[in-house]
């Protein structure tokens, strides 16, 4: 992943602005600053933040900070790639958030969540909401349980895990499946850029987070999208799995 971000910088992925519509309970329900307790601190942890395509838009607030200082007071972004964390930490929204006052702080941490006891202590048990977006799929499935345990360890009691990742029979999997050299093991593939991807079923996730690790499903569903490229007369059929635990 260091090589990936060295090659692409922050140009490969688009910013993700769908959290308030896809997950309104977690991302669109905080009262204005003047109606909140002065001791209330709301913390977000993003696992696999990359260069901040999901995290940085969540730091954006209106210019009237007295009435709208955003959903989050403390934000932690974790990624396996030091290159990605360095790029994110130099972005203007990252720097501006840390200048908003003593209650506001955003951190970037280099962390391999597939390794046991790898979670930074500052991230342990602090999160109101933790996001795991297109991250777990990049990890060899034999380490999914260790990774999931680290993710769950970021949550304080009552915290929510928000999840989205690649679903079984996504078109990308169908294409990778035509080449034996791309298949590493069942439903786990090496892509052309050297990164890896696993394709989940909802049962995989329920077994991992609930049966093995004791979480409870709030929502778990497939998302199916068709993207049409009119210029090339092609349609891409995507399958994702989305959940809240």
């Amino acid at each position: 992943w260091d090589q990936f971000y060295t090659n692409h910088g922050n140009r490969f992925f688009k910013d993700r602005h769908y959290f308030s519509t896809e997950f309104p309970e977690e991302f669109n329900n905080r009262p204005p600053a003047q109606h909140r307790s002065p001791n209330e601190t709301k913390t977000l942890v993003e696992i696999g933040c990359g260069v901040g395509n999901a995290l940085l838009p969540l730091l954006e607030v209106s210019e009237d900070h007295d009435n709208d200082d955003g959903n989050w007071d403390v934000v932690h972004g974790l990624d396996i790639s030091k290159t990605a964390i360095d790029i994110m930490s130099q972005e203007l929204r990252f720097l501006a958030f840390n200048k908003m006052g003593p209650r506001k702080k955003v951190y970037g941490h280099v962390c391999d969540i597939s390794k046991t006891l790898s979670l930074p202590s500052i991230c342990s048990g602090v999160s109101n909401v933790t996001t795991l977006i297109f991250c777990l799929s990049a990890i060899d499935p034999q380490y999914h349980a260790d990774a999931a345990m680290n993710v769950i360890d970021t949550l304080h009691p009552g915290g929510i895990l928000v999840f989205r990742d690649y679903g079984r029979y996504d078109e990308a999997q169908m294409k990778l499946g035509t080449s034996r050299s791309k298949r590493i093991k069942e439903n786990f593939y090496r892509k052309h850029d050297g990164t890896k991807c696993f394709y989940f079923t909802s049962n995989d996730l329920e077994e991992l987070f609930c049966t093995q690790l004791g979480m409870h499903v709030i929502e778990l569903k497939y998302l199916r999208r068709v993207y049409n490229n009119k210029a090339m007369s092609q349609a891409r059929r995507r399958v994702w799995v989305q959940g809240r635990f």
Side-chain angles (χ1 to χ4, degrees):
W1 282 103
D2 275 333
Q3 188 60 56
F4 177 91
Y5 287 112
T6 297
N7 293 341
H8 298 288
N10 61 1
R11 303 178 300 277
F12 190 83
F13 299 110
K14 295 181 179 179
D15 278 0
R16 295 168 176 154
H17 293 278
Y18 53 72
F19 284 87
S20 61
T21 54
E22 292 289 340
F23 309 105
E25 293 294 321
E26 290 72 38
F27 291 92
N28 201 27
N29 68 343
R30 197 180 193 195
Q34 68 268 30
H35 295 154
R36 298 199 298 268
S37 165
N39 296 322
E40 178 188 350
T41 299
K42 196 166 184 183
T43 300
L44 170 72
V45 174
E46 186 185 1
I47 308 291
C49 64
V51 294
N53 295 104
L55 184 149
L56 293 171
L58 295 172
L59 302 183
E60 298 171 1
V61 298
S62 74
E63 294 181 359
D64 184 2
H65 294 166
D66 291 334
N67 294 314
D68 179 10
D69 63 352
N71 269 334
W72 309 104
D73 301 306
V74 180
V75 179
H76 298 274
L78 287 72
D79 200 272
I80 193 172
S81 170
K82 183 179 184 301
T83 301
I85 293 296
D86 288 345
I87 292 171
M88 180 181 71
S89 300
Q90 296 167 19
E91 214 271 350
L92 292 178
R93 288 169 289 182
F94 188 101
L95 298 172
F97 192 85
N98 280 330
K99 295 178 180 178
M100 288 182 60
R103 288 172 53 87
K104 296 289 189 181
K105 189 66 179 177
V106 56
Y107 303 87
H109 309 279
V110 179
C111 176
D112 180 355
I113 63 164
S114 69
K115 296 180 178 179
T116 56
L117 303 176
S118 62
L119 190 71
S121 59
I122 194 175
C123 299
S124 180
V126 299
S127 177
N128 298 88
V129 177
T130 294
T131 65
L132 188 64
I133 307 296
F134 297 110
C135 172
L136 192 61
S137 56
I139 297 172
D140 190 308
Q142 69 176 311
Y143 301 116
H144 281 177
D146 291 330
M149 179 61 74
N150 280 321
V151 172
I152 292 169
D153 282 349
T154 66
L155 296 167
H156 73 48
I160 302 295
L161 169 62
V162 168
F163 180 93
R164 182 186 279 191
D165 219 320
Y166 298 105
R168 191 73 46 83
Y169 307 124
D170 178 74
E171 184 170 313
Q173 181 183 13
M174 298 296 94
K175 291 180 178 179
L176 289 168
T178 63
S179 173
R180 290 186 178 181
S181 64
K182 299 294 185 183
R183 184 181 181 276
I184 301 172
K185 58 181 68 172
E186 191 73 18
N187 300 306
F188 189 51
Y189 303 85
R190 180 178 291 103
K191 296 191 286 186
H192 70 280
D193 59 9
T195 61
K196 300 168 186 176
C197 191
F198 184 84
Y199 294 86
F200 294 94
T201 66
S202 59
N203 288 339
D204 291 334
L205 298 170
E206 194 162 5
E207 169 67 22
L208 175 63
F209 287 108
C210 302
T211 304
Q212 295 186 39
L213 298 176
M215 298 286 280
H216 300 283
V217 173
I218 302 171
E219 174 188 33
L220 186 59
K221 62 185 180 182
Y222 291 101
L223 301 177
R224 294 177 172 86
R225 302 282 191 269
V226 178
Y227 296 96
N228 292 304
N229 186 328
K230 295 182 180 179
M232 301 181 66
S233 299
Q234 293 180 343
R236 298 189 68 198
R237 292 171 174 80
R238 308 311 308 267
V239 181
W240 303 317
V241 188
Q242 179 169 296
R244 295 159 60 229
F245 300 89

